[in-house]
């Protein structure tokens, strides 16, 4: 298909497709003449992934390029590939936060500690430090409950990761991380409202 057809099928404007080509996010098409190229379904799928990373997940062009490089040359482990996508969409953490406390928790929980995943560890450490600084005591039993429920959610999510291609796996993780987290937060707030009604509202 010509670039105009690619734009029509993907919903991405021709000018944007040309920009992605210049930025080496989209592989070049097969040259049919000195000024024209032919594209195929693989380009449609690639554009779908790029738009998911840039528009929905909010990644920069540089971050998107990094993720796509892992798609084009995937690591041996699917776990490592998913880690690249998860790292790309994670919230930056201010440097200097020690997360030995988190590693101690993980050891107690029987979770594996991999230094490649320390961005997430630092995020939890930052959150726990913020609770301490505010004087908000999180009972150990509450943290254990959160951990148990997060394990259940994570098991369900990882079980649904598609394995037909690196592109589909990365898209699932990137969008699942960014778009599902607001769903989890909204459900938590709604559940709090329901629990509050049950505890504090006068019974009919």
């Amino acid at each position: 298909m010509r670039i105009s057809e690619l734009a029509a099928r993907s919903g991405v404007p021709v000018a944007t497709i040309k920009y992605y080509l210049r930025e080496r996010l989209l592989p070049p098409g097969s040259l049919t003449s000195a000024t024209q190229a032919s594209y195929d379904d693989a380009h449609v799928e690639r554009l779908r992934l790029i738009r998911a990373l840039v528009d929905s997940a909010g990644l920069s062009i540089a971050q998107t390029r990094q993720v796509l490089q892992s798609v084009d040359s995937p690591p041996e482990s699917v776990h490592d590939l998913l880690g690249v996508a998860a790292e790309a969409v994670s919230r930056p953490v201010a440097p200097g936060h020690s997360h030995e406390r988190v590693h101690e928790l993980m050891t107690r929980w029987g979770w594996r500690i991999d230094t490649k995943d320390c961005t997430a560890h630092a995020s939890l450490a930052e959150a726990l430090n913020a609770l301490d600084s505010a004087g908000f005591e999180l009972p150990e039993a509450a943290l254990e409950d959160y951990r148990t429920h997060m394990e259940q959610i994570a098991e369900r999510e990882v079980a649904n990761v598609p394995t037909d291609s690196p592109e589909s796996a990365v898209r699932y993780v990137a969008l699942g991380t960014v778009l599902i987290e607001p769903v989890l937060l909204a459900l938590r707030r709604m559940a709090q409202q329901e629990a509050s009604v049950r505890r504090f509202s006068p019974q009919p």
Side-chain angles (χ1 to χ4, degrees), residues 87-130:
E87 176 80 11
V89 298
S90 297
R91 181 180 65 86
V93 178
H97 285 284
S98 170
H99 44 272
E100 293 180 5
R101 175 185 181 185
V102 173
H103 285 183
E104 291 173 0
L105 286 171
M106 294 174 67
T107 299
R108 193 170 75 217
W109 295 338
W111 289 8
R112 298 173 181 84
I113 299 174
D114 193 326
T115 55
K116 295 194 300 294
D117 303 322
C118 275
T119 298
H121 307 169
S123 294
L124 178 56
E126 184 180 71
L128 293 175
N129 290 340

XYZ file of all heavy atoms in Angstrom, residues 87-130:
344
model
N 9.251 -0.214 32.793
C 10.190 0.835 33.213
C 9.913 2.134 32.470
O 9.970 3.228 33.049
C 11.623 0.372 32.947
C 12.696 1.400 33.254
C 13.035 1.474 34.728
O 12.604 0.587 35.493
O 13.727 2.430 35.129
N 9.594 2.026 31.194
C 9.387 3.221 30.372
C 8.185 4.035 30.845
O 8.195 5.265 30.772
C 9.212 2.833 28.913
N 7.153 3.353 31.329
C 5.934 4.071 31.716
C 5.862 4.339 33.216
O 4.866 4.883 33.703
C 4.670 3.297 31.276
C 4.626 3.146 29.772
C 4.599 1.919 31.950
N 6.916 3.997 33.952
C 6.922 4.222 35.394
C 7.174 5.688 35.714
O 7.882 6.390 34.980
C 8.002 3.364 36.067
O 7.734 1.992 35.902
N 6.614 6.137 36.819
C 6.825 7.511 37.259
C 8.260 7.686 37.731
O 8.771 6.868 38.497
C 5.864 7.838 38.415
C 5.975 9.252 38.947
C 4.985 9.474 40.068
N 5.287 8.652 41.227
C 6.147 9.007 42.185
N 6.797 10.150 42.115
N 6.350 8.207 43.219
N 8.954 8.740 37.291
C 10.329 8.970 37.745
C 10.385 9.147 39.261
O 9.482 9.718 39.873
C 10.738 10.264 37.026
C 9.785 10.402 35.887
C 8.499 9.771 36.341
N 11.443 8.649 39.843
C 11.643 8.757 41.285
C 12.849 9.639 41.542
O 13.871 9.520 40.866
C 11.851 7.360 41.923
C 12.102 7.480 43.416
C 10.653 6.476 41.655
N 12.721 10.534 42.512
C 13.835 11.411 42.846
C 15.017 10.577 43.320
O 14.841 9.609 44.074
C 13.421 12.400 43.930
N 16.234 10.918 42.879
C 17.405 10.138 43.294
C 17.665 10.288 44.785
O 17.238 11.250 45.419
C 18.539 10.758 42.458
C 18.073 12.144 42.148
C 16.582 12.052 42.009
N 18.370 9.304 45.315
C 18.791 9.389 46.711
C 17.945 8.598 47.679
O 18.234 8.567 48.876
N 16.877 7.972 47.205
C 16.029 7.186 48.103
C 16.611 5.774 48.263
O 16.704 5.020 47.307
C 14.601 7.084 47.557
C 13.806 8.342 47.716
N 13.270 8.736 48.924
C 13.472 9.305 46.834
C 12.638 9.882 48.779
N 12.740 10.248 47.510
N 16.986 5.453 49.475
C 17.448 4.099 49.756
C 16.239 3.172 49.808
O 15.188 3.527 50.356
C 18.191 4.062 51.098
O 18.438 2.732 51.495
N 16.376 1.998 49.222
C 15.245 1.070 49.263
C 15.630 -0.274 49.879
O 15.082 -1.307 49.535
C 14.644 0.885 47.864
C 15.636 0.702 46.765
N 16.190 1.748 46.075
C 16.166 -0.416 46.235
C 17.018 1.289 45.157
N 17.021 -0.020 45.235
N 16.581 -0.228 50.816
C 16.913 -1.455 51.544
C 15.701 -1.964 52.323
O 15.495 -3.176 52.446
C 18.079 -1.189 52.496
C 19.402 -0.891 51.797
C 20.518 -0.631 52.778
O 20.274 -0.770 53.998
O 21.626 -0.288 52.338
N 14.902 -1.020 52.842
C 13.695 -1.396 53.584
C 12.758 -2.210 52.704
O 12.162 -3.200 53.162
C 13.001 -0.120 54.073
C 11.660 -0.318 54.753
C 11.060 1.057 55.056
N 9.787 0.993 55.730
C 9.038 2.058 56.011
N 9.465 3.263 55.675
N 7.873 1.932 56.620
N 12.636 -1.808 51.440
C 11.770 -2.527 50.515
C 12.347 -3.905 50.214
O 11.613 -4.899 50.140
C 11.567 -1.717 49.223
C 10.814 -2.534 48.177
C 10.813 -0.425 49.536
N 13.658 -3.990 50.052
C 14.285 -5.288 49.812
C 14.070 -6.226 51.000
O 13.896 -7.444 50.820
C 15.770 -5.108 49.522
C 16.036 -4.573 48.146
N 17.315 -4.392 47.656
C 15.203 -4.198 47.147
C 17.250 -3.903 46.428
N 15.984 -3.780 46.096
N 14.082 -5.676 52.205
C 13.822 -6.504 53.380
C 12.397 -7.039 53.360
O 12.147 -8.206 53.694
C 14.068 -5.684 54.652
C 15.541 -5.341 54.888
C 15.726 -4.390 56.065
O 14.696 -4.006 56.688
O 16.877 -4.026 56.347
N 11.458 -6.175 52.968
C 10.070 -6.630 52.850
C 9.940 -7.727 51.800
O 9.275 -8.747 52.017
C 9.166 -5.458 52.467
C 8.843 -4.423 53.544
C 8.128 -3.226 52.932
C 7.984 -5.042 54.644
N 10.592 -7.526 50.654
C 10.504 -8.507 49.574
C 11.087 -9.841 49.995
O 10.557 -10.907 49.647
C 11.222 -7.966 48.332
C 10.564 -6.743 47.722
S 11.547 -6.039 46.377
C 11.415 -7.349 45.141
N 12.179 -9.800 50.751
C 12.785 -11.034 51.244
C 11.818 -11.754 52.162
O 11.643 -12.990 52.075
C 14.087 -10.716 51.988
O 15.010 -10.093 51.086
C 14.717 -11.983 52.543
N 11.138 -11.007 53.028
C 10.176 -11.609 53.942
C 8.993 -12.196 53.190
O 8.430 -13.225 53.584
C 9.699 -10.551 54.941
C 8.935 -11.157 56.118
C 8.699 -10.132 57.195
N 7.643 -9.202 56.820
C 7.659 -7.912 57.121
N 8.686 -7.387 57.745
N 6.648 -7.128 56.771
N 8.591 -11.541 52.092
C 7.459 -12.015 51.310
C 7.821 -13.170 50.370
O 6.939 -13.773 49.760
C 6.889 -10.863 50.474
C 6.288 -9.761 51.286
C 5.827 -9.834 52.570
C 6.089 -8.400 50.856
N 5.353 -8.611 52.978
C 5.494 -7.712 51.953
C 6.352 -7.708 49.684
C 5.170 -6.369 51.886
C 6.012 -6.357 49.615
C 5.428 -5.697 50.706
N 9.110 -13.420 50.228
C 9.530 -14.461 49.296
C 9.575 -13.998 47.857
O 9.540 -14.824 46.935
N 9.649 -12.678 47.635
C 9.733 -12.124 46.283
C 11.187 -12.031 45.847
O 12.078 -11.730 46.642
C 9.104 -10.727 46.233
C 7.616 -10.712 46.361
C 6.794 -11.766 46.655
C 6.767 -9.568 46.214
N 5.483 -11.354 46.692
C 5.430 -10.011 46.425
C 6.990 -8.230 45.927
C 4.335 -9.168 46.361
C 5.895 -7.373 45.856
C 4.582 -7.834 46.068
N 11.423 -12.290 44.570
C 12.774 -12.201 44.024
C 13.216 -10.744 43.939
O 12.417 -9.879 43.590
C 12.845 -12.844 42.642
C 12.510 -14.328 42.633
C 12.430 -14.865 41.219
N 12.080 -16.282 41.182
C 10.835 -16.748 41.247
N 9.838 -15.909 41.334
N 10.602 -18.043 41.220
N 14.480 -10.496 44.202
C 15.043 -9.148 44.117
C 15.976 -9.095 42.924
O 16.965 -9.831 42.857
C 15.809 -8.774 45.397
C 14.859 -8.788 46.602
C 16.475 -7.408 45.253
C 15.555 -8.579 47.930
N 15.631 -8.259 41.953
C 16.457 -8.066 40.768
C 16.755 -6.574 40.667
O 15.844 -5.749 40.652
C 15.717 -8.550 39.511
C 16.632 -8.659 38.302
O 17.569 -7.838 38.190
O 16.410 -9.558 37.465
N 18.026 -6.236 40.602
C 18.397 -4.816 40.582
C 17.853 -4.101 39.356
O 17.733 -2.876 39.362
C 19.923 -4.654 40.634
O 20.521 -5.405 39.548
C 20.483 -5.182 41.950
N 17.509 -4.839 38.289
C 16.910 -4.192 37.107
C 15.553 -3.586 37.440
O 15.075 -2.697 36.745
C 16.751 -5.207 35.967
C 18.044 -5.757 35.396
C 17.803 -6.459 34.072
C 16.840 -7.613 34.193
N 17.350 -8.725 35.016
N 14.920 -4.089 38.494
C 13.584 -3.629 38.857
C 13.595 -2.599 39.984
O 12.558 -2.300 40.565
C 12.721 -4.828 39.298
C 12.639 -5.909 38.232
O 12.574 -5.535 37.046
O 12.656 -7.093 38.587
N 14.770 -2.037 40.281
C 14.883 -1.191 41.465
C 14.151 0.145 41.337
O 13.963 0.836 42.337
C 16.350 -0.956 41.820
S 17.026 -2.312 42.837
N 13.747 0.530 40.130
C 12.944 1.743 40.018
C 11.633 1.568 40.765
O 11.184 2.472 41.490
C 12.657 2.067 38.541
O 13.896 2.304 37.870
C 11.789 3.309 38.426
N 10.998 0.420 40.613
C 9.760 0.140 41.341
C 10.024 0.057 42.838
O 9.226 0.534 43.655
C 9.129 -1.159 40.840
N 11.152 -0.525 43.218
C 11.490 -0.631 44.637
C 11.654 0.758 45.235
O 11.182 1.039 46.343
C 12.784 -1.427 44.825
C 12.770 -2.764 44.153
N 13.908 -3.544 44.003
C 11.763 -3.479 43.579
C 13.606 -4.655 43.378
N 12.307 -4.638 43.110
N 12.326 1.639 44.494
C 12.531 3.006 44.974
C 11.207 3.757 45.077
O 11.025 4.593 45.967
C 13.505 3.744 44.052
N 10.271 3.468 44.171
C 8.959 4.115 44.231
C 8.229 3.749 45.521
O 7.623 4.606 46.176
C 8.110 3.707 43.023
O 8.649 4.206 41.826
N 8.275 2.467 45.877
C 7.629 2.050 47.118
C 8.339 2.660 48.323
O 7.683 3.111 49.271
C 7.602 0.523 47.228
C 6.982 -0.043 48.509
C 5.563 0.476 48.717
C 7.002 -1.572 48.501
N 9.662 2.688 48.283
C 10.417 3.295 49.383
C 10.049 4.762 49.545
O 9.861 5.253 50.668
C 11.914 3.147 49.131
N 9.917 5.472 48.430
C 9.535 6.883 48.464
C 8.150 7.041 49.087
O 7.924 7.954 49.902
C 9.555 7.454 47.052
C 9.265 8.946 46.963
C 9.297 9.437 45.528
O 8.375 9.098 44.759
O 10.249 10.164 45.175
N 7.225 6.168 48.718
C 5.866 6.247 49.249
C 5.841 5.946 50.749
O 5.153 6.631 51.522
C 4.957 5.271 48.502
N 6.587 4.943 51.175
C 6.630 4.606 52.599
C 7.296 5.719 53.401
O 6.850 6.039 54.522
C 7.374 3.283 52.795
C 6.686 2.036 52.229
C 7.579 0.813 52.382
C 5.337 1.797 52.908
N 8.341 6.331 52.840
C 9.003 7.451 53.512
C 8.053 8.639 53.650
O 8.079 9.359 54.661
C 10.260 7.867 52.745
C 11.370 6.844 52.843
O 11.375 6.003 53.748
N 12.305 6.893 51.906
N 7.215 8.853 52.627
C 6.253 9.954 52.693
C 5.249 9.718 53.824
O 4.858 10.653 54.530
C 5.534 10.100 51.359
